[in-house]
């Protein structure tokens, strides 16, 4: 796990992130739209899965999307072109040393990024410096400790714990969603409001059974199998039993719950 | 725990149920209103904590509230009188042998009851028999496995597990919320829809910090201390550390999450 990043860089994981953005787009993004002419910094855009939605929902805003990975940025650019986006500019850079002056942006948007950082509070403080007074920051994060399901299964919970543990070993925190509020407040933002976005799945919602329970959450956990076994966090048979139990929750009498947290804060006027 | 009931019968717990109904009333009940002239059976009304809200939100409906406990019913009657309710009749009876003919009611309302039953599916089937074709059932249940918080704490989770374990020993299921959908479908109801009602608490919501995190959830867990120690589920010091950790989540940088599940089903026309 030397790359300090548990998901997002591998082909299978990339597909999962796409599925996730497609399925959850309304739940997570529909209430984010920036005024025409405003400047928006998207931090950690990765391969652009969220960028397309962000840019479409704010067609008049000027969006700058940054990521530390040149390879991811290439994909993000290709995707933005394919989507016909004209209001996004891509820049490479590290979150803690971005090539922008202070107070350069009206808004900052951070989605599925803090979970990967060993210093999320310091990251938010750095981003606050890039905001003009009166500007806003929007943070969206998941929380793997928010996952529960029927039928319940200790093996499934052990498999989920593998992802949490790998992310921890990589310096991140897969249960950071519940901390969005104290992180934003701690970084000095004002008027912080956090709203949970719970995904509840039962068989009356077949699109979510397939799009979320199977193809987003369970596929993500399944994707850490080799890493978890190599790190000796779990026995292969136990992990596989957990994955089977997660897929079991997608059957007709199963249910699945997961919650994302969306927080908004303001940089108080000086 | 020979009375088959983990909470609801003791003075301190009674107060907690009151607090809970007062704090959560909108979240749980605001979308339940029955038409004038309709008959509604409230099953397991206990001391009437939910009855008052139910009757006020449906002033033209005729509500029959039943409970197995004569002592609880006395309190419920006094509370209904104090609230000036005129559309509620109280009857004593066991859920599996209620003194009503088949298809006697337009609607059935069941709140915080299934969690206490060893045969919740059979209970729902019995209640379905009391509904006229085309009538509806509404079920509201919590789920203690939905509780998570910041700062996270193994001791806090152990303390919560005491309540879950005691309820299990008493024949119930404190994590039944996630099963409302399959239970309603399994009991033969049609058009079943379940909506989660998540309580998210941070210090921007001081009413919930006090009313829910402290006085509802943590007070409930604290209330099983003696039973849990007597049943040798936990060491006193460990339990007390868990309670301290739960109260800790009510401080300025803490957060707390819990989810109730509300399900509605119809009895299909014959």
């Amino acid at each position: 796990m030397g790359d300090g990043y548990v998901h997002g860089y591998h082909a299978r994981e990339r597909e999962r992130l796409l599925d996730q953005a497609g399925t959850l787009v309304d739940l997570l993004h529909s209430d984010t739209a920036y005024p025409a002419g405003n400047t928006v910094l998207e931090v950690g855009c990765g391969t652009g899965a969220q960028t397309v939605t962000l840019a479409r929902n704010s067609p008049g805003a000027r969006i700058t999307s940054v990521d530390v990975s040149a390879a991811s940025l290439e994909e993000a650019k290709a995707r933005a072109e394919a989507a016909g986006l004209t209001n996004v500019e891509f820049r490479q850079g590290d979150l803690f040393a971005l090539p922008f002056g202070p107070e350069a942006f009206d808004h900052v948007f951070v989605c599925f990024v803090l979970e990967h950082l060993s210093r999320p509070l310091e990251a938010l403080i750095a981003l606050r410096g890039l905001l003009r007074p009166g500007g806003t920051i929007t943070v969206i994060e998941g929380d793997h400790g928010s996952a529960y399901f029927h039928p319940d299964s200790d093996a499934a919970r052990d498999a989920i714990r593998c992802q949490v543990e790998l992310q921890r070993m990589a310096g991140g925190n897969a249960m950071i969603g519940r901390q969005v509020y104290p992180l934003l407040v701690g970084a000095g933002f004002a008027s912080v409001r956090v709203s949970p976005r719970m995904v509840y799945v039962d068989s009356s919602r077949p699109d979510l059974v397939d799009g979320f329970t199977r193809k987003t959450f369970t596929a993500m956990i399944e994707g850490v199998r080799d890493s978890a076994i190599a790190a000796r966090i779990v026995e292969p048979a136990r992990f596989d039993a957990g994955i089977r139990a997660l897929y079991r929750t997608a059957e007709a009498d199963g249910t699945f719950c997961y919650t994302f947290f969306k927080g908004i804060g303001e940089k108080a006027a000086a």
Side-chain angles (χ1 to χ4, degrees), chain A:
Chain A
M1 303 315 303
D3 63 358
Y5 204 92
V6 170
H7 57 78
Y9 282 169
H10 306 296
R12 181 177 190 162
E13 285 303 292
R14 206 155 51 228
E15 192 181 343
R16 182 190 66 75
L17 289 177
L18 271 179
D19 281 345
Q20 181 170 294
T23 308
L24 300 173
V25 67
D26 284 343
L27 182 71
L28 301 181
H29 299 293
S30 61
D31 55 346
T32 297
Y34 298 106
N38 276 202
T39 54
V40 181
L41 174 65
E42 184 196 15
V43 180
C45 65
T47 62
Q50 319 298 327
T51 309
V52 174
T53 304
L54 184 67
R56 282 190 177 145
N57 288 350
S58 301
R62 288 179 292 134
I63 298 166
T64 303
S65 295
V66 301
D67 201 88
V68 70
S69 158
S72 292
L73 279 174
E74 282 310 307
E75 283 198 54
K77 282 178 197 171
R79 184 179 297 173
E81 254 177 53
L85 301 180
T86 58
N87 60 333
V88 183
E89 182 191 358
F90 291 95
R91 296 282 292 273
Q92 190 179 353
D94 181 88
L95 191 152
F96 288 100
L98 288 172
F100 310 110
E103 307 190 354
F105 293 93
D106 296 313
H107 308 283
V108 170
F109 181 84
V110 190
C111 183
F112 305 145
V113 172
L114 299 185
E115 61 173 316
H116 301 293
L117 305 180
S118 57
R119 296 182 292 150
L121 184 68
E122 288 76 2
L124 290 174
I125 291 169
L127 295 175
R128 188 166 161 269
L130 299 177
L131 266 183
R132 68 160 168 83
T136 72
I137 187 168
T138 296
V139 173
I140 302 176
E141 295 290 340
D143 189 317
H144 288 5
S146 75
Y148 54 97
F149 32 81
H150 174 73
D152 197 9
S153 157
D154 286 339
R157 278 187 267 130
D158 282 350
I160 295 169
R161 214 170 289 136
C162 290
Q163 154 75 11
V164 173
E165 184 61 14
L166 286 169
Q167 192 126 334
R168 193 192 63 74
M169 290 163 67
N173 178 0
M175 311 205 302
I176 203 168
R178 70 190 74 177
Q179 295 188 44
V180 168
Y181 179 84
L183 284 169
L184 285 171
V185 171
F189 290 98
S191 305
V192 174
R193 296 295 291 179
V194 170
S195 72
R197 310 286 162 110
M198 181 174 173
V199 183
Y200 165 73
V201 187
D202 62 36
S203 58
S204 73
R205 310 172 195 223
D207 52 331
L208 285 175
V209 172
D210 195 56
F212 190 80
T213 305
R214 286 198 191 98
K215 290 189 178 160
T216 297
F217 189 83
T218 305
M220 172 192 65
I221 300 300
E222 205 172 6
V224 304
R225 183 181 192 277
D226 294 348
S227 303
I229 291 168
R232 298 177 182 274
I233 302 172
V234 71
E235 293 294 320
R238 179 68 173 176
F239 186 88
D240 295 343
I243 296 299
R244 281 195 302 275
L246 287 173
Y247 281 117
R248 169 68 183 84
T249 71
E251 293 182 23
D253 63 347
T255 63
F256 193 92
C257 301
Y258 187 91
T259 298
F260 298 88
F261 292 80
K262 183 168 186 172
I264 300 177
E266 289 178 25
K267 180 172 181 173

